[in-house]
């Protein structure tokens, strides 16, 4: 089993950290078997699996169900779970209670919190209560309306400086690692060099300690949209569609099911059966 300290060791060795999201048992098994360092149960689940327009409607209950499924597959990888919108913002009591549910019911080693200047103090309090927190700055999807859309952050010197300050404040608050999303490569690179903790980038260029992507994006499961930052390694939507078409065609033409897919009574038993049901 890898622990959070494994990420620090990788940073020190300049060995890139590999992270991906998962939302179910078998996807998590694949990630495990490929040696992925961090499996994140992201609230992106709401958008890629439930078809929501934003991550805002995702609930604690939804996150718990999928986190438990992912957790069952965990052997070596580090499981980190996203705190969904409104599960931590209202009070430290809520934040600790909801975090506690993830630690109690799954093998999570940390929770991820979308981090703004306004919640650095809350994160500090959580860390003081021994909760390992992964920060998340830049394009923070739970603030999509405040940000005015899913736009690149830290693309000018003033906003980039603000992000570096926020990253440093979060490190001081005690976070164990930081996701930097949708930030200019220069800004993400500077943050990575300034921080001792591991910095994982998404759409933030090559200078981070590691990379994270949404699994469904690299598998090509959404035919309508692939974010600019995501490389589509396979077009699973088309592959699955081809399989479903072939199956439908097989059923229509009687090619499925063949003998190996069902059981038959022997002749004697069939005769008895016909007799028993004759009068129906
Ligand atoms: O919800 C999510 O999947 C995330 C990653 C994209 C970092 O926050």
């Amino acid at each position: 089993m890898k622990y959070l300290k494994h990420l620090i060791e990788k940073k020190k060795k300049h060995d890139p950290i590999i992270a991906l999201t998962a939302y179910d048992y078998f996807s998590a098994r694949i990630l495990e078997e490929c040696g992925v360092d961090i499996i994140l149960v992201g609230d992106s689940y709401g958008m890629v699996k439930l078809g929501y327009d934003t991550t805002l409607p995702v609930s604690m209950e939804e996150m718990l169900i999928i986190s438990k499924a992912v957790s069952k597959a965990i052997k070596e990888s580090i499981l980190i779970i996203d705190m969904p919108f409104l599960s931590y913002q209202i009070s430290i009591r809520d934040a600790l209670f909801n975090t506690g549910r993830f630690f109690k019911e799954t093998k999570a080693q940390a929770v991820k919190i979308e981090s703004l200047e306004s919640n650095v103090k809350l994160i500090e309090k959580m860390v003081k209560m021994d909760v390992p927190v992964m920060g998340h700055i830049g394009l923070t999807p739970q603030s999509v309306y405040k940000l005015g859309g899913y736009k690149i952050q830290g693309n000018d010197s003033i906003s980039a400086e603000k992000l570096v300050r926020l990253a440093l404040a979060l490190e001081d608050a005690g976070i164990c690692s930081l996701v930097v999303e949708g930030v200019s490569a220069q800004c993400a690179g500077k943050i990575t060099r300034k921080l001792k903790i591991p910095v994982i980038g998404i759409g933030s260029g090559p200078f981070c300690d590691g990379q994270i992507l949404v699994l469904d994006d690299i598998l090509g499961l959404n035919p309508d949209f692939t974010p600019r930052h995501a490389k589509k390694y396979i077009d699973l939507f088309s592959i699955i569609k081809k399989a479903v078409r072939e199956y439908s065609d097989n059923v229509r033409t009687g090619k499925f099911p063949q003998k190996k897919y069902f059981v038959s009574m022997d002749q004697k038993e069939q005769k008895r059966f016909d007799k028993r049901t004759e009068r129906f």
Side-chain angles (χ1 to χ4, degrees):
M1 176 94 161
K2 290 175 195 162
Y3 293 99
L4 291 168
K5 65 176 184 205
H6 173 74
L7 306 177
I8 305 261
E9 282 154 16
K10 281 196 116 180
K11 175 167 180 130
K12 280 189 191 148
K13 288 193 273 183
H14 302 289
D15 182 3
I17 295 164
I18 299 151
L20 275 169
T21 64
Y23 317 100
D24 64 80
Y25 172 74
F26 285 106
S27 308
R29 274 261 313 263
I30 296 170
L31 270 46
E32 260 288 339
E33 289 178 21
C34 293
V36 167
D37 296 305
I38 299 174
I39 299 182
L40 173 77
V41 182
D43 61 355
S44 49
Y45 168 72
M47 295 177 80
V48 299
K49 294 295 189 199
L50 302 180
Y52 299 157
D53 290 335
T54 71
T55 57
L56 301 183
V58 176
S59 67
M60 270 302 292
E61 278 58 42
E62 285 164 338
M63 289 301 286
L64 270 164
I65 291 169
I66 59 169
S67 299
K68 283 191 216 172
V70 169
S71 183
K72 279 195 137 197
I74 295 290
K75 287 197 174 85
E76 285 294 316
S77 306
I78 297 167
L79 174 64
I80 300 185
I81 303 176
D82 244 347
M83 296 294 289
F85 182 62
L86 280 197
S87 67
Y88 58 91
Q89 289 95 335
I90 296 171
S91 67
I92 179 75
R93 190 176 177 278
D94 275 9
L96 290 173
F97 178 78
N98 287 322
T99 306
R101 291 194 70 191
F102 287 136
F103 288 115
K104 218 170 146 67
E105 297 177 42
T106 74
K107 293 179 190 160
Q109 295 197 38
V111 288
K112 178 165 80 58
I113 292 189
E114 292 192 11
S115 321
L116 317 169
E117 274 167 34
S118 55
N119 64 17
V120 175
K121 281 271 166 290
L122 173 100
I123 290 172
E124 190 173 13
K125 280 188 197 158
M126 293 178 74
V127 174
K128 281 207 173 112
M129 298 297 280
D130 292 326
V131 177
V133 176
M134 171 187 249
H136 180 166
I137 63 169
L139 199 176
T140 41
Q142 291 175 15
S143 311
V144 57
Y145 296 129
K146 193 178 149 211
L147 296 175
Y150 298 103
K151 290 183 190 147
I152 289 287
Q153 305 293 305
N155 213 7
D156 61 84
S157 58
I158 296 173
S159 63
E161 184 197 330
K162 267 193 177 168
L163 282 173
V164 176
R165 283 183 190 280
L166 178 57
L168 287 165
L170 286 162
E171 184 170 64
D172 282 347
I175 58 168
C176 61
S177 56
L178 180 66
V179 167
V180 175
E181 177 167 356
V183 163
S184 66
Q186 293 81 355
C187 177
K190 175 81 62 140
I191 291 171
T192 305
R193 288 191 298 280
K194 293 254 174 222
L195 266 51
K196 290 181 198 70
I197 55 164
V199 175
I200 323 286
I202 171 164
S204 299
F207 312 121
C208 301
D209 299 309
Q211 298 289 329
I212 183 161
L213 284 176
V214 167
L215 183 63
D216 294 48
D217 291 339
I218 70 166
L219 298 182
L221 278 164
N222 180 349
D224 303 324
F225 176 69
T226 306
R228 183 173 176 265
H229 61 253
K231 180 170 169 184
K232 193 163 154 177
Y233 286 84
I234 189 169
D235 182 3
L236 264 193
F237 187 88
S238 301
I239 292 172
I240 294 171
K241 213 164 140 184
K242 187 169 171 279
V244 172
R245 284 223 168 98
E246 208 173 313
Y247 162 74
S248 310
D249 191 55
N250 278 192
V251 173
R252 237 178 262 121
T253 56
K255 275 193 191 150
F256 180 85
Q258 295 112 303
K259 219 169 173 351
K260 64 175 175 179
Y261 295 112
F262 60 87
V263 286
S264 291
M265 288 178 197
D266 60 31
Q267 271 189 345
K268 230 161 114 187
E269 207 52 36
Q270 192 184 336
K271 269 190 192 152
R272 281 192 196 131
F273 175 58
D274 287 345
K275 217 164 175 195
R276 278 173 183 278
T277 51
E278 233 164 34
R279 60 200 144 83
F280 292 172

